[in-house]
Amino acid sequence: MTVRERFRNEVEAKVKEALDAMACKTSFEVEAPSTGIADLALPCFSLAKSMRKQPQAVAEELCSHISCGGLICEVQPVNGYLNFYIDQDSMVRETLRELLESGEDYGRQKNKGIRVNVEHTSVNPTGPIHVGRARNPIIGDTLSRCLRRCGYDVETEYYVNDVGKQVVLLTWGVLNIPPSEVELSERDKTDHRLVPYYRLANQMMETSDEVREQIAEILRRFEAGDEQVISQVRKVVEMMLEGLKETLDAINVHLDRYVWESQYIADGSARRVVEMLKATPYCGVEDGAYYLELKDFGIQGKNTRFTFTRSDGTTLYTTRDLAYHLDKFSRADRVIDVLGEDQKLGNQQLSIALQILGVESKPEPLFYSFVSLPDGKMSTRLGKVVYLDDLIDEAVQRAYEEVRKRRDDLSEKKMWEIARIIGIGAIRYNILRIQPEKKMVFRWEDALNFDGNSAPFLQYAHARACSILRKAGDFEPVVDETLLTVDYERKLISVISQFPEVITECGENKRIHLLPSYGHELASAFNQFYAAVPVLTSGDKRNARLTLVDCSRTVMKITLETLGIVAPEEM
RNA sequence: GGGCGCGUGGCCUAGCCAGGAUAUGGCAGCAGCCUCCUAAGCUGCAGGUCAGGGGUUCGAAUCCCCUCGCGCUCGCCA
């Protein structure tokens, strides 16, 4: 248990005792004041109502029944609140002690023995990842990192859509269009190289009946389980995926497994889903196409039907997704899906269908809104896109220029290495700092922001801490609260002590945007300390301060790592 | 048209789920700070009818209703 948890427990126990003494049985809630005026506070307004007294009078009366002691060093009735203050010396001592003991495992919870499956990214393998879709892998990856730190056994996976018209069309293009007929792609990377074939195939299908018929034929053979066609599609999709993986690798996203949609057709599980759904009382059929009637399940709108087979009996995307979810639930206790907001209805239908099939747990969707460009929606077809690869290049390039501006002592190789860490960090941070459900407008100046509330701000503070420690050399760690009495030191330690509860909130409630915010607060507290308090030249306080710098460095590092951002030792 | 989501200083954003004390930060702007551990930093100033209106409450950015604006969605597509 952390100091802050113990402090809260003590406060709640004292309040309970005081209320008992006043013969009051009303329940109460202790809160952390937003203004930072106290460490914890008890609002006495609802108590006042049930006791038919003035709030301030209640606060004062409660106060008279509470004595300080333990971690509580002061209690004050103010404006109808009862304010509690934590004993600073204990807070400093205990926090640093915990941190020195656990090191980079600070804030890591014991293994819960709960398996969580996080599906994220899953972009259609018909083109490179663009910045609109980039929210998905970055959110999914960071959420997974938070959950791991919260003690869950996390497995991440990418659901590869290797079924359907789009991938068949792409495959047709790659197999039938001679390379001499397509424009050269701007980037020599497999996903980009395939784009011209896909674009041209789309055009040809619109203009040529012959092409359209050929593609329809391949699609029929695909649906019929023609092994040659399936393997051709698979090969092309694998080629595309190779490029996508390179991009994901560049932004520090690594998935544990790739699951192929075609698998659920091949192993018959999609068929089994169809049979099970047909046997339910909600099933109906029209022109040979089967559907579930969902109007009794809160689905609103013109069409409350969830169709799960075509009239020719073949399965649909959502049918296979259902088979996939049954598979996931057989492998995990919790299933989380990171999805674009356009999937909301589909996901709701999926969830109801799973319920009808008797699955007790529900998938937990995490939706994010789309990223648009200042002049409107992104469109791959119209060429109105910014590819993630281009954003990465631009970010690294700009970071390189910034590094070169201030470091003439580094080798080219080292400068590019640092630039990469900073550029990628800036991209991830900029996406993570905003609540997923808020829509984003992509602007280069925001995406490449290196000041203020940004990854480089946090990375810079980390590098400064590393720099001091490098210059200090070996030292004996000291935890002595009497040597760390400056306000800046105490503020910094207070922020450090909040890390475990922030991680818990991020993981348990899937509110990962709180982590960048915490990181900024931490780096800001460190920078203020850095500017005001000398470390290396501080005489008998040197080792105590070096210990604080080292502890700060640890927490900044694990905050960055949980965000999926590298913590550079110099920049 | 129905459903879901969003609307906080010029711009971006926290707080909303679990209503409470002067609404969080950042960018841009203005004024300062490098003979001293990396100035990607620090200090200060200025800037807000929390989209609008009603309601619930001792108390509303937060909960409820209505209106407006924006996004997504309502396929035998994936």
Side-chain angles (χ1 to χ4, degrees):
Chain A
M1 206 188 290
T2 66
V3 221
R4 297 177 68 86
E5 285 168 326
R6 276 183 284 141
F7 175 60
R8 178 176 277 270
N9 287 347
E10 286 181 20
V11 167
E12 284 173 354
K14 292 270 188 181
V15 170
K16 178 118 193 15
E17 249 174 64
L19 285 171
D20 284 347
M22 291 163 68
C24 173
K25 290 191 169 59
T26 316
S27 66
F28 63 92
E29 189 103 14
V30 174
E31 63 179 37
S34 57
T35 46
I37 196 164
D39 295 304
L40 283 175
L42 173 75
C44 299
F45 303 94
S46 58
L47 294 171
K49 197 171 184 183
S50 65
M51 292 161 85
R52 318 190 69 162
K53 292 175 187 169
Q54 291 299 315
Q56 180 61 16
V58 173
E60 280 166 17
E61 196 176 343
L62 278 168
C63 190
S64 70
H65 286 91
I66 291 174
S67 57
C68 297
L71 290 169
I72 303 169
C73 72
E74 195 185 347
V75 191
Q76 285 293 337
V78 183
N79 296 337
Y81 290 85
L82 191 55
N83 288 339
F84 293 85
Y85 300 86
I86 191 167
D87 177 61
Q88 290 289 309
D89 286 345
S90 306
M91 193 273 295
V92 168
R93 191 175 56 244
E94 301 298 318
T95 300
L96 296 184
R97 199 176 277 169
E98 279 166 30
L99 200 33
L100 285 182
E101 260 171 40
S102 44
E104 292 187 7
D105 282 329
Y106 183 60
R108 187 182 296 287
Q109 293 173 34
K110 281 202 302 278
N111 184 278
K112 291 181 159 69
I114 296 172
R115 298 167 301 169
V116 182
N117 182 298
V118 180
E119 180 207 329
H120 66 78
T121 310
S122 303
V123 297
N124 285 340
T126 50
I129 300 175
H130 61 69
V131 299
R133 294 289 173 196
R135 257 184 137 169
N136 198 318
I138 293 171
I139 289 170
D141 181 66
T142 296
L143 175 63
S144 304
R145 290 169 190 262
C146 288
L147 289 167
R148 289 200 175 103
R149 204 161 258 279
C150 285
Y152 292 98
D153 294 319
V154 178
E155 189 164 33
T156 55
E157 52 191 61
Y158 182 132
Y159 185 48
V160 187
N161 304 128
D162 63 333
V163 178
K165 196 171 173 182
Q166 298 311 308
V167 284
V168 164
L169 186 60
L170 171 67
T171 305
W172 180 89
V174 171
L175 295 178
N176 294 282
I177 300 172
S180 58
E181 283 184 29
V182 295
E183 292 169 32
L184 228 60
S185 68
E186 288 171 23
R187 187 182 287 270
D188 189 31
K189 193 159 161 290
T190 58
D191 49 345
H192 290 265
R193 275 209 301 267
L194 295 180
V195 170
Y197 293 93
Y198 183 59
R199 285 217 173 114
L200 191 54
N202 262 295
Q203 285 169 21
M204 289 169 79
M205 189 184 64
E206 278 171 28
T207 53
S208 158
D209 293 338
E210 196 196 332
V211 171
R212 195 164 30 236
E213 186 41 50
Q214 278 184 33
I215 285 162
E217 174 58 22
I218 302 177
L219 203 52
R220 270 193 292 276
R221 286 170 62 191
F222 189 105
E223 296 284 354
D226 184 317
E227 281 184 28
Q228 197 199 344
V229 174
I230 290 173
S231 109
Q232 279 171 338
V233 171
R234 172 110 182 191
K235 268 195 197 130
V236 171
V237 170
E238 266 170 0
M239 220 189 292
M240 181 67 82
L241 210 50
E242 195 188 308
L244 301 182
K245 281 182 186 173
E246 265 181 59
T247 307
L248 292 172
D249 191 59
I251 56 168
N252 208 10
V253 172
H254 315 278
L255 290 112
D256 295 323
R257 83 162 75 189
Y258 287 75
V259 180
W260 297 75
E261 181 179 349
S262 58
Q263 168 195 326
Y264 298 98
I265 298 176
D267 70 5
S269 57
R271 278 256 69 82
R272 283 196 294 279
V273 166
V274 168
E275 296 314 315
M276 288 188 281
L277 291 175
K278 279 183 181 173
T280 69
Y282 309 99
C283 181
V285 60
E286 190 175 292
D287 300 334
Y290 286 84
Y291 62 86
L292 292 180
E293 178 53 62
L294 300 182
K295 66 167 176 278
D296 295 340
F297 291 88
I299 297 286
Q300 321 258 345
K302 290 178 194 159
N303 195 346
T304 58
R305 288 178 182 182
F306 162 48
T307 306
F308 61 91
T309 77
R310 298 195 181 90
S311 15
D312 64 4
T314 55
T315 58
L316 293 158
Y317 171 81
T318 322
T319 324
R320 298 179 300 261
D321 202 15
L322 223 33
Y324 175 42
H325 274 79
L326 290 175
D327 175 31
K328 286 201 277 190
F329 274 114
S330 76
R331 297 186 273 118
D333 305 299
R334 285 176 62 189
V335 169
I336 296 175
D337 298 321
V338 180
L339 301 168
E341 62 178 337
D342 57 335
Q343 308 285 312
K344 277 188 181 176
L345 179 61
N347 185 266
Q348 205 184 350
Q349 292 172 332
L350 176 95
S351 187
I352 295 166
L354 284 169
Q355 185 192 327
I356 289 172
L357 289 173
V359 176
E360 285 178 17
S361 353
K362 283 187 187 310
E364 303 166 46
L366 175 58
F367 295 108
Y368 61 92
S369 295
F370 287 124
V371 179
S372 59
L373 293 169
D375 59 339
K377 216 171 152 175
M378 251 181 239
S379 159
T380 313
R381 208 165 36 81
L382 299 175
K384 235 173 73 177
V385 288
V386 178
Y387 289 122
L388 182 52
D389 290 319
D390 294 332
L391 174 58
I392 292 169
D393 285 355
E394 190 66 34
V396 173
Q397 180 65 40
R398 235 205 79 188
Y400 170 78
E401 281 154 24
E402 295 294 323
V403 175
R404 204 176 51 175
K405 240 190 264 174
R406 44 207 113 199
R407 299 294 299 270
D408 50 13
D409 58 319
L410 296 173
S411 67
E412 280 292 306
K413 184 168 172 272
K414 188 75 188 167
M415 284 197 279
W416 280 110
E417 197 180 296
I418 293 170
R420 201 157 181 82
I421 290 170
I422 292 167
I424 303 294
I427 292 172
R428 284 191 66 129
Y429 190 100
N430 187 248
I431 284 175
L432 291 168
R433 57 181 261 269
I434 293 166
Q435 287 183 21
E437 59 268 27
K438 289 214 182 191
K439 51 188 171 244
M440 288 179 81
V441 175
F442 177 82
R443 289 192 187 88
W444 285 99
E445 62 265 36
D446 292 339
L448 301 178
N449 177 32
F450 292 175
D451 305 311
N453 191 6
S454 72
F457 180 87
L458 185 41
Q459 290 171 317
Y460 184 62
H462 176 266
R464 280 176 145 181
C466 289
S467 176
I468 292 179
L469 293 166
R470 212 167 28 240
K471 290 204 162 108
D474 289 335
F475 69 95
E476 192 62 38
V478 175
V479 174
D480 184 345
E481 66 277 11
T482 63
L483 297 175
L484 299 171
T485 53
V486 180
D487 281 350
Y488 291 108
E489 293 169 333
R490 304 230 143 172
K491 169 67 184 163
L492 176 56
I493 296 164
S494 167
V495 175
I496 285 172
S497 75
Q498 291 165 32
F499 179 78
E501 54 202 275
V502 170
I503 283 292
T504 302
E505 176 74 4
C506 290
E508 296 301 337
N509 296 328
K510 302 196 277 279
R511 305 214 308 150
I512 55 170
H513 66 284
L514 298 175
L515 196 52
S517 170
Y518 172 79
H520 182 261
E521 198 185 343
L522 175 63
S524 179
F526 182 80
N527 279 332
Q528 286 167 39
F529 159 78
Y530 180 95
V533 184
V535 176
L536 295 175
T537 56
S538 59
D540 58 349
K541 292 184 171 172
R542 187 174 184 269
N543 284 1
R545 286 182 176 166
L546 279 169
T547 304
L548 173 56
V549 171
D550 194 28
C551 287
S552 307
R553 183 199 59 82
T554 301
V555 182
M556 288 191 275
K557 182 166 185 220
I558 58 185
T559 301
L560 282 164
E561 271 175 4
T562 309
L563 290 167
I565 297 170
V566 176
E569 294 188 4
E570 58 178 325
M571 60 189 271

